[in-house]
Amino acid sequence: MNIHEFQAKQILGRFGAPVPKGQPASTPEEAAAAFKALGQPKAVVKAQIHAGGRGKAGGVKLLSSADEAREFAAKLLGKPLVTHQTGPEGRVVRRVYIEEASQVARELYLGLLVDRNSGSVSVIASTEGGMDIEEVAAKTPERITTEAINPLLGLSGFVARKIAFSLGVKDKEVNQFVTLLTALHRAFWETDASLIEINPLVVTADGRVICLDAKMSFDDNGLFRHPDIRELRDPNEEDPAETEAAKFELSYVHLDGNIGCMVNGAGLAMATMDIVKYYGAEPANFLDVGGGANTEKVAAAFRILLSDKRVKAVLINIFGGIMRCDVLAQGVVEAAQQVSLSLPLVVRMEGTNVDQGKKILADSGIKVIAAADLADAARRVTEAIGARKAP
Ligand code: GDP
Ligand code: MN
């Protein structure tokens, strides 16, 4: 789960990381009031969306009066902001963040993430602050330092100092950097984060080291331990189909193709996607309804699939182990009736109560294309949309 910059800064601030003072606003009036409340000659107004690249897209501006803050907020709020990370449709700005301005002397990059290669949390640091780290990694990898943090020892002072030196941080700024990184590292562990990205981390003209931008993501599987963080979920920033799927505890990932797939078991779901591709079409999603799905869950899964307007045909591939085929069939019939299904529907079922399942489908009056096996199912569904390529 991702959160907004201002929320990440509030969390990091609580752990003792230096962040500029600021206040979120959801109307131009609130933005003007927030500017006044800061009581400083200048402030930065920043669009709050779950995407970076706001600076270049005109979503970040240094302003010198409450009136300017009001005007700029009015320009941003309620409208989509298109950055290189949002896709062409952009993201609607529903809040802005008004923050004290910093006098930037140097911009650096600092990130912490779960590093599967080293089996630990790694710190990524670079002198190229304000740039996409992926781009730095591709063009000038020598400007990136990666330090795996031993999970048993934690972040030792000497490791933090080593990272500081690799960034050219000097003198009294070294201790500030060490304090900041220690705070980030503690925040990472204690919130079950999966990513903290400070881009840029800045050294100011008066020698302070602060987090000028902040991005935080959390491990969804750890969220039950952090009800306060779970509250920060912003449904406006999430794919509505994925939000709906989460409600029913379905594993659903939206993809770009046009074959809606409903499968039980992650391995079978991946095999189904592979074979759909092999026969010349693209899956519209990954969807694992799980082992013990009931009728309600299956119906929800089916509705979610069909809510994707790009879906041109549906492939249901279920192996009835714990999941019973009659339960599946009942769910499909209910959902198909609710949405008055008009797309081709290919069903391949095997296993527990398969005959009852087939009978329920046959008696339902829904047009079902029955498939004999996995390959047959893929063949039929790709044929149904005229995309079949392979033998
Ligand atoms: P992003 O473009 O979405 O990553 O948004 P950032 O929060 O990183 O802001 C973009 C850029 O705006 C930063 O890289 C800075 O160069 C600049 N910026 C943001 N806040 C300040 C500030 O207080 N002072 C100065 N001088 N520059 C700022
Ligand atoms: Mn940034």
Side-chain angles (χ1 to χ4, degrees):
M1 184 186 95
N2 298 322
I3 59 174
H4 289 289
E5 173 197 4
F6 76 94
Q7 296 164 330
K9 283 178 169 168
Q10 281 164 1
I11 294 173
L12 297 177
R14 262 184 255 139
F15 281 91
V19 292
K21 265 205 282 308
Q23 215 173 297
S26 41
T27 66
E29 281 318 308
E30 281 175 25
F35 187 99
K36 285 187 195 133
L38 282 175
Q40 291 177 15
K42 282 183 192 300
V44 179
V45 177
K46 309 178 79 174
Q48 297 298 293
I49 52 172
H50 285 190
R54 297 162 303 166
K56 284 194 191 99
V60 177
K61 207 165 172 185
L62 182 66
L63 300 167
S64 26
S65 74
D67 284 339
E68 282 179 17
R70 182 189 293 110
E71 246 171 69
F72 186 58
K75 213 183 102 197
L76 290 175
L77 287 164
K79 278 161 227 134
L81 180 67
V82 181
T83 81
H84 73 276
Q85 286 187 7
T86 60
E89 66 285 353
R91 292 280 175 83
V92 176
V93 180
R94 287 161 214 271
R95 254 173 310 201
V96 291
Y97 191 44
I98 296 86
E99 192 178 67
E100 61 179 331
S102 309
Q103 280 219 305
V104 177
R106 284 186 71 202
E107 293 195 330
L108 306 168
Y109 175 96
L110 193 58
L112 285 86
L113 48 77
V114 177
D115 182 348
R116 285 165 215 285
N117 290 331
S118 64
S120 61
V121 171
S122 282
V123 175
I124 317 279
S126 168
T127 49
E128 306 305 289
M131 299 218 346
D132 275 342
I133 196 70
E134 292 82 4
E135 200 182 321
V136 181
K139 291 186 183 152
T140 47
E142 70 281 1
R143 293 186 194 159
I144 297 179
T145 306
T146 303
E147 239 0 281
I149 309 303
N150 185 306
L152 297 178
L153 296 177
L155 177 67
S156 312
F158 78 92
V159 174
R161 280 192 294 278
K162 189 169 142 195
I163 297 167
F165 299 144
S166 79
L167 292 173
V169 171
K170 288 196 209 70
D171 308 329
K172 69 179 174 55
E173 286 144 24
V174 173
N175 283 345
Q176 291 186 50
F177 180 89
V178 170
T179 306
L180 184 148
L181 183 54
T182 307
L184 296 187
H185 185 252
R186 198 160 68 84
F188 193 100
W189 275 96
E190 291 190 15
T191 64
D192 291 314
S194 53
L195 173 81
I196 297 179
E197 189 178 56
I198 309 300
N199 189 19
L201 173 83
V202 300
V203 183
T204 64
D206 55 351
R208 288 175 304 129
V209 184
I210 55 177
C211 305
L212 204 65
D213 190 8
K215 174 178 175 179
M216 269 184 107
S217 307
F218 301 91
D219 183 340
D220 286 342
N221 295 313
L223 281 175
F224 75 99
R225 304 204 286 198
H226 310 284
D228 52 327
I229 293 172
R230 194 163 49 184
E231 285 292 296
L232 304 179
R233 187 182 282 279
D234 184 348
N236 291 317
E237 292 284 344
E238 294 181 359
D239 182 341
E242 291 186 11
T243 309
E244 183 70 8
K247 259 195 254 168
F248 290 91
E249 294 176 354
L250 298 161
S251 307
Y252 173 87
V253 181
H254 195 179
L255 302 167
D256 290 332
N258 54 14
I259 307 282
C261 300
M262 178 152 91
V263 189
N264 66 330
L268 189 58
M270 285 189 276
T272 305
M273 291 160 63
D274 280 348
I275 201 161
V276 163
K277 276 167 126 27
Y278 178 71
Y279 277 93
E282 293 289 327
N285 62 281
F286 168 95
L287 172 60
D288 173 11
V289 291
N294 55 21
T295 308
E296 194 196 4
K297 208 163 155 176
V298 169
F302 202 53
R303 274 199 315 274
I304 291 165
L305 282 189
L306 296 173
S307 69
D308 180 353
K309 294 293 159 245
R310 278 182 298 193
V311 169
K312 296 280 177 285
V314 176
L315 169 55
I316 298 182
N317 182 21
I318 299 287
F319 181 77
I322 301 169
M323 173 95 166
R324 288 164 24 209
C325 294
D326 55 324
V327 169
L328 168 89
Q330 199 56 49
V332 169
V333 169
E334 276 176 27
Q337 281 161 353
Q338 280 165 19
V339 299
S340 52
L341 176 74
S342 57
L343 301 175
L345 169 65
V346 177
V347 179
R348 181 258 173 168
M349 295 193 284
E350 207 52 78
T352 312
N353 293 357
V354 64
D355 294 332
Q356 280 126 290
K358 283 185 176 157
K359 184 163 181 338
I360 290 168
L361 287 178
D363 294 349
S364 69
I366 306 169
K367 239 176 93 187
V368 173
I369 305 169
D373 54 37
L374 187 44
D376 189 40
R379 199 179 302 127
R380 286 172 189 274
V381 79
T382 49
E383 250 163 32
I385 63 159
R388 190 179 151 194
K389 270 202 321 244

